[in-house]
Amino acid sequence: RRHTRYWRDWSSDVCSSDLRPHSGHLRLFTPASGTVRYVGEFALDPETSHVMQRGPDREGTERSVVVFRLRPVGAVARELVPVAGLDASADLPRRLDDGIRRKLVDIFFRGQGSVFSPPAGAGERAPWSELWRRVYEAPDESSEGFTEKLRAQLQGSPEASALMGELAYLYAVPVAIRAMGEAAKEALINEITTIGRQQPLAFAPGFKEGLRSTVFTPGTAWQTYRWHLFGQLIQTFRAWWNLPPEERDRLLAQPDSFRVFIHGVAARKGAAGIREWLLHLVHPEAFEPIISTQWKKAIALYSARRLDIPIYAADPDLTA
C-alpha cells in the first residue's frame, strides 16, 4: 500500500491464470517506519500461492484482498521475517496464556500490577486524562509515523509514555505472529516507553514471553487506524475508572453486562475490533477470539440456519 505504483505494476503480472510474477522472485524490505532493512529474496509458495480474505480499506469499507504466500529463496535475514510480517510457517495455537490473560485483566480492570518492572500501572490513578490531553485533544496532523508523533506529544511526561506503553502491550499481544512478529511487538512497546527516559522499561516476569502469543489475525484496520485504536482504549478505561468499584466488580462478573459497557463506549473509526478483543480478554468463556463483528454475524446466521431458528441479518438479537 505504501508503494501503490509498483504494486499495480506487479499485480498486473501476477493476476493471471497461474498467479506467478514474470520475474519469479521478489526482493522484500521491512515496513517503511524508522530504519528500513533488506530481508531477502522470496518466491510464491508453489502449492498455495495466495488466499483471498476480506478486509477494510482506509475508509473502513470492506473489500476482497489477495494475500500472497511467500517462501524464502536462498539465504534471508530470518530474524527480520516476523518484523516484515512475512512468516508463513505452520499454524500456531490461537490462544493467550491464561496466566498472562488474568494478569492483564488485573492490570487494566482492577488496577493491580503492571506489564513493566518497576511497575508503571494502568489503574485509577494512572495519568489517563493527561495522556488523552497530550495525544488527542490537539492531534498531530503531520505525515509523521505513529511513534514519531508520540515522541513529540509525550515528551516531558515519562508517566504518560509508560501508560501508553501498557496500552501498546494490550494492543500488540493478541496479534498473530504472522501479522506482527514478536520482535515487532517488542519494538513498538520499547519505542514508546523510551520517550522521556534513557532506556525502555523492562518487562515484568512472563510478559516478554507473552508477546509470542497468537490470538487472532486482524485486518488492515488494526494497523491503518492504530491512532484510533489507542484512542478507543483510552476512552474505554477513562469511562471504566469513573465507575463505582461495586459496579466494576459487577461487570467483571457478568459477561453480558460487561459487553453492554464496552459497546457503550462509542467506536472510533476502524476501532470496533478493539472492543471485541476486550470482551474476549475479560470473558473468554463467553466471547470468542474473533474481532470482526461481520464474521460473528455470519457465524450466527449460519448457526441459526442449521438450527432452524428464525433469525435475520437485521434482527436486533443477532446484532446483540
Side-chain angles (χ1 to χ4, degrees):
R1 294 176 65 90
R2 291 186 179 88
H3 306 287
T4 306
R5 177 165 57 85
Y6 299 109
W7 161 252
R8 287 175 178 167
D9 293 344
W10 184 66
S11 63
S12 66
D13 292 337
V14 301
C15 291
S16 57
S17 59
D18 62 3
L19 282 166
R20 288 195 297 266
H22 297 328
S23 62
H25 296 168
L26 293 171
R27 291 180 173 85
L28 301 180
F29 299 81
T30 56
S33 177
T35 302
V36 178
R37 299 178 64 184
Y38 178 60
V39 179
E41 196 169 356
F42 292 78
L44 290 175
D45 187 302
E47 295 182 0
T48 307
S49 62
H50 70 290
V51 294
M52 298 297 299
Q53 293 184 358
R54 296 287 295 175
D57 60 18
R58 291 182 182 274
E59 284 70 45
T61 303
E62 285 283 328
R63 61 185 180 87
S64 294
V65 296
V66 181
V67 179
F68 293 100
R69 292 171 55 84
L70 304 177
R71 297 293 182 184
V73 176
V76 300
R78 291 187 177 274
E79 74 277 8
L80 295 180
V81 168
V83 179
L86 304 171
D87 182 18
S89 57
D91 286 340
L92 297 170
R94 294 174 62 89
R95 63 181 298 274
L96 179 66
D97 177 80
D98 198 51
I100 293 294
R101 185 195 66 79
R102 289 195 298 267
K103 288 180 180 179
L104 290 176
V105 174
D106 286 343
I107 291 168
F108 289 99
F109 293 95
R110 294 190 174 95
Q112 301 170 3
S114 171
V115 170
F116 306 112
S117 180
E124 186 173 7
R125 296 184 178 181
W128 295 107
S129 296
E130 180 186 359
L131 184 58
W132 179 264
R133 175 180 58 80
R134 283 175 170 268
V135 181
Y136 291 92
E137 287 187 1
D140 185 342
E141 304 293 349
S142 70
S143 59
E144 295 289 339
F146 177 75
T147 53
E148 287 80 4
K149 291 181 180 181
L150 286 182
R151 190 161 296 280
Q153 293 167 321
L154 301 181
Q155 195 64 43
S157 180
E159 297 80 12
S161 71
L163 180 56
M164 200 66 159
E166 303 262 16
L167 295 178
Y169 190 94
L170 187 62
Y171 162 87
V173 69
V175 178
I177 290 296
R178 293 181 180 184
M180 190 179 191
E182 179 186 355
K185 293 178 181 181
E186 184 177 358
L188 172 65
I189 297 165
N190 287 345
E191 281 188 56
I192 293 174
T193 60
T194 52
I195 300 174
R197 54 178 58 86
Q198 295 295 320
Q199 299 291 331
L201 294 176
F203 289 105
F207 282 100
K208 183 174 181 179
E209 293 77 9
L211 294 175
R212 301 169 186 167
S213 303
T214 287
V215 182
F216 51 76
T217 303
T220 56
W222 201 266
Q223 171 71 22
T224 305
Y225 297 114
R226 180 180 287 178
W227 187 78
H228 287 300
L229 267 67
F230 275 74
Q232 186 74 30
L233 288 173
I234 296 171
Q235 287 182 312
T236 298
F237 290 119
R238 289 182 75 191
W240 177 259
W241 293 112
N242 279 329
L243 296 174
E246 59 274 13
E247 177 66 5
R248 297 198 297 265
D249 291 340
R250 184 183 73 85
L251 296 179
L252 290 176
Q254 299 178 6
D256 285 337
S257 297
F258 184 74
R259 173 183 53 79
V260 171
F261 166 78
I262 292 295
H263 283 191
V265 180
R268 298 170 65 85
K269 186 175 182 179
I274 204 80
R275 302 194 302 186
E276 306 307 308
W277 157 228
L278 293 178
L279 294 181
H280 174 69
L281 172 70
V282 176
H283 292 291
E285 76 290 346
F287 301 104
E288 306 82 354
I290 301 171
I291 62 169
S292 168
T293 54
Q294 291 193 340
W295 276 111
K296 286 188 173 184
K297 290 179 181 180
I299 293 169
L301 282 172
Y302 173 81
S303 301
R305 286 194 294 267
R306 295 281 293 183
L307 298 172
D308 197 25
I309 297 173
I311 191 170
Y312 305 96
D315 195 319
D317 291 338
L318 172 65
T319 304

